[in-house]
C-alpha cells in the first residue's frame, strides 16, 4: 500500500501486489529443531521430497510446483503495456530507483555500493517507512561484515580444526574426502544431481560454458569448489522411486551424523562460535 501511494504521488498508476499470495500454503520445517538432523540430515533430500518430487511425472517432466500452479500475472502489466519504452524506464526508476552502475577497477568489473533505501524508488521508501533503518543499509556495516568473514575463514585456529575434521571424516569413509565442512554441501549436491539422472561436466568458471563445447551451458545448475574448479549438470532428470529416495535420505543422515561427530572431535563448531563471539 505504501508503494502504491508513493507511485500515485509520483504521477503513476500502480496496483499493490501481494507476492506472498502467489504461493500455496506450505508447512515450514525448521532444520535447527532438535531431532531434525537425526531424522533428515541437512534437509537436502527432505526439501526435494516436499517441493520437487511430488511434481515430477514418470518421464521426469515438471508438472507443477508447491508455489502455485498458475503463472503469476502482474496486475500492472496492462498499464505498463500502454506506456512507451521511455515511459517504462521512468516508471521503473520511480518504482525501484536508478539501476546500480557497474564500473571498472583496473581490469576488474565492480559494482557501485547500493544506494540508500530512500534512493531506491518507491520500494525503497516503502521499506524504510515500514521497517525503518536496517544494518545492511549502511555500507560501513557491510564492509565490516565482509572483513569479519574474511578474518574468520583465515583464522589459523579454525584452519587447524578443519584439518582435524577432514582427517576424521576420511578415516571413517574414504568417500568423505573433504577439505572443510562447506564441501559436504557440494558433495551431496552432486550426489543428488546424479540421483536425479544428471551427468556432471566441467565448466569454464568465467563463462559457465561446458569445457570443450563453446556456447553450451549446463541446464541442471552447478557449483564451484575452493580450488576454483567449476562443474555443471547436463541431461534429463528422472523421477526417483520411493526406495531410491529413502536410500538417498539414509545416506544423507549417515553423512550428517559423521560430520557432527567429527565437528565435536575437532572442536570445530564450538571453536568457530567462540571466534565469532571474540570478533
Amino acid at each position: 500500500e505504501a508503494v502504491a501511494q508513493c507511485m500515485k504521488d509520483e504521477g503513476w498508476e500502480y496496483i499493490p501486489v501481494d507476492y506472498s499470495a502467489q504461493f500455496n500454503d506450505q508447512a515450514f520445517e525448521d532444520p535447527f529443531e532438535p531431532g531434525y538432523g537425526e531424522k533428515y540430515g541437512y534437509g537436502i533430500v527432505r526439501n526435494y521430497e516436499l517441493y520437487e518430487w511430488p511434481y515430477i511425472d514418470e518421464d521426469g517432466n515438471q508438472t507443477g510446483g508447491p508455489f502455485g500452479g498458475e503463472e503469476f500475472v502482474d496486475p500492472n502489466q496492462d498499464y505498463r503495456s500502454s506506456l512507451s519504452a521511455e515511459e517504462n524506464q521512468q516508471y521503473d526508476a520511480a518504482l525501484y530507483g536508478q539501476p546500480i552502475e557497474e564500473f571498472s577497477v583496473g581490469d576488474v568489473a565492480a559494482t557501485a555500493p547500493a544506494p540508500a533505501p530512500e534512493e531506491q524508488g518507491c520500494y525503497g521508501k516503502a521499506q524504510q517507512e515500514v521497517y525503518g533503518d536496517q544494518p545492511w543499509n549502511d555500507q560501513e556495516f557491510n564492509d565490516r561484515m565482509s572483513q569479519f568473514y574474511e578474518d574468520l575463514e583465515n583464522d589459523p585456529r579454525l584452519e587447524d580444526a578443519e584439518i582435524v575434521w577432514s582427517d576424521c571424516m576420511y578415516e571413517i569413509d574414504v568417500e568423505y574426502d573433504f577439505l572443510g565442512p562447506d564441501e559436504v554441501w557440494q558433495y551431496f549436491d552432486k550426489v543428488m544431481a546424479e540421483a536425479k539422472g544428471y551427468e556432471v561436466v566441467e565448466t569454464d568458471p568465467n563463462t559457465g560454458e561446458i569445457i570443450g563445447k563453446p556456447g553450451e551451458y549446463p541446464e541442471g545448475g552447478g557449483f564451484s569448489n575452493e580450488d576454483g574448479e567449476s562443474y555443471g549438470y547436463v541431461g534429463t532428470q528422472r523421477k526417483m522411486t520411493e526406495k531410491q529416495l529413502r536410500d538417498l535420505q539414509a545416506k544423507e543422515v549417515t553423512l550428517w551424523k559423521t560430520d557432527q561427530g567429527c565437528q565435536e572431535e575437532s572442536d570445530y563448531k564450538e571453536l568457530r562460535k567462540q571466534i565469532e563471539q571474540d570478533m
Side-chain angles (χ1 to χ4, degrees):
E1 294 293 345
V3 172
Q5 184 59 52
C6 173
M7 289 294 283
K8 182 179 178 180
D9 294 342
E10 293 284 338
W12 303 100
E13 294 181 21
Y14 182 82
I15 301 173
V17 182
D18 181 6
Y19 290 100
S20 64
Q22 307 302 317
F23 304 99
N24 294 334
D25 291 335
Q26 288 286 325
F28 173 72
E29 296 181 343
D30 186 354
F32 297 102
E33 280 289 320
Y36 183 92
E38 286 80 1
K39 191 173 182 179
Y40 299 121
Y42 305 98
I44 298 172
V45 175
R46 180 60 173 168
N47 283 342
Y48 170 79
E49 179 183 11
L50 291 176
Y51 305 125
E52 292 186 55
W53 193 56
Y55 308 100
I56 301 174
D57 65 21
E58 297 304 320
D59 296 323
N61 299 311
Q62 198 81 21
T63 60
F67 306 121
E70 298 182 4
E71 183 179 352
F72 167 66
V73 178
D74 186 348
N76 297 288
Q77 189 55 52
D78 287 344
Y79 173 68
R80 297 204 59 165
S81 297
S82 70
L83 303 176
S84 67
E86 183 179 354
E87 287 172 329
N88 265 287
Q89 290 181 341
Q90 296 170 353
Y91 183 94
D92 283 336
L95 188 56
Y96 304 114
Q98 296 295 336
I100 297 175
E101 295 183 358
E102 288 193 354
F103 57 95
S104 297
V105 179
D107 295 328
V108 181
T111 302
E118 59 271 16
E119 298 175 3
Q120 296 179 29
C122 286
Y123 264 118
K125 292 175 182 176
Q127 288 177 336
Q128 183 77 1
E129 176 185 331
V130 175
Y131 301 116
D133 286 328
Q134 299 293 328
W136 46 85
N137 293 332
D138 184 341
Q139 187 59 39
E140 182 184 358
F141 171 85
N142 293 326
D143 291 342
R144 292 180 67 180
M145 285 302 294
S146 296
Q147 187 63 50
F148 166 83
Y149 284 114
E150 183 178 338
D151 292 345
L152 181 67
E153 296 307 321
N154 293 326
D155 192 293
R157 294 169 293 173
L158 206 58
E159 291 177 350
D160 290 342
E162 284 186 338
I163 293 173
V164 176
W165 175 88
S166 177
D167 291 343
C168 172
M169 294 288 288
Y170 188 77
E171 288 173 4
I172 292 173
D173 191 328
V174 294
E175 190 175 345
Y176 299 159
D177 189 11
F178 312 125
L179 294 177
D182 288 344
E183 290 192 3
V184 171
W185 294 86
Q186 295 176 353
Y187 162 80
F188 208 80
D189 185 49
K190 178 182 176 183
V191 170
M192 278 291 296
E194 292 175 336
K196 292 178 184 179
Y198 291 115
E199 176 188 355
V200 180
V201 295
E202 189 174 356
T203 57
D204 187 313
N206 297 316
T207 66
E209 296 174 316
I210 299 173
I211 297 295
K213 297 183 178 180
E216 293 188 27
Y217 301 87
E219 61 271 20
F223 66 92
S224 299
N225 61 24
E226 292 183 359
D227 295 328
E229 298 169 327
S230 181
Y231 299 88
Y233 307 126
V234 299
T236 303
Q237 74 167 331
R238 58 173 176 260
K239 185 178 179 71
M240 291 187 221
T241 65
E242 179 79 26
K243 183 180 185 305
Q244 287 174 323
L245 193 67
R246 297 301 159 223
D247 289 346
L248 197 60
Q249 193 162 69
K251 184 171 186 174
E252 179 183 357
V253 170
T254 299
L255 174 61
W256 180 87
K257 290 179 178 178
T258 306
D259 178 13
Q260 297 303 303
C262 287
Q263 288 201 35
E264 289 184 12
E265 180 176 319
S266 63
D267 203 29
Y268 176 87
K269 185 180 293 184
E270 289 303 315
L271 178 61
R272 184 183 178 102
K273 184 188 298 183
Q274 185 59 53
I275 293 173
E276 289 177 349
Q277 292 173 343
D278 291 344
M279 286 183 174

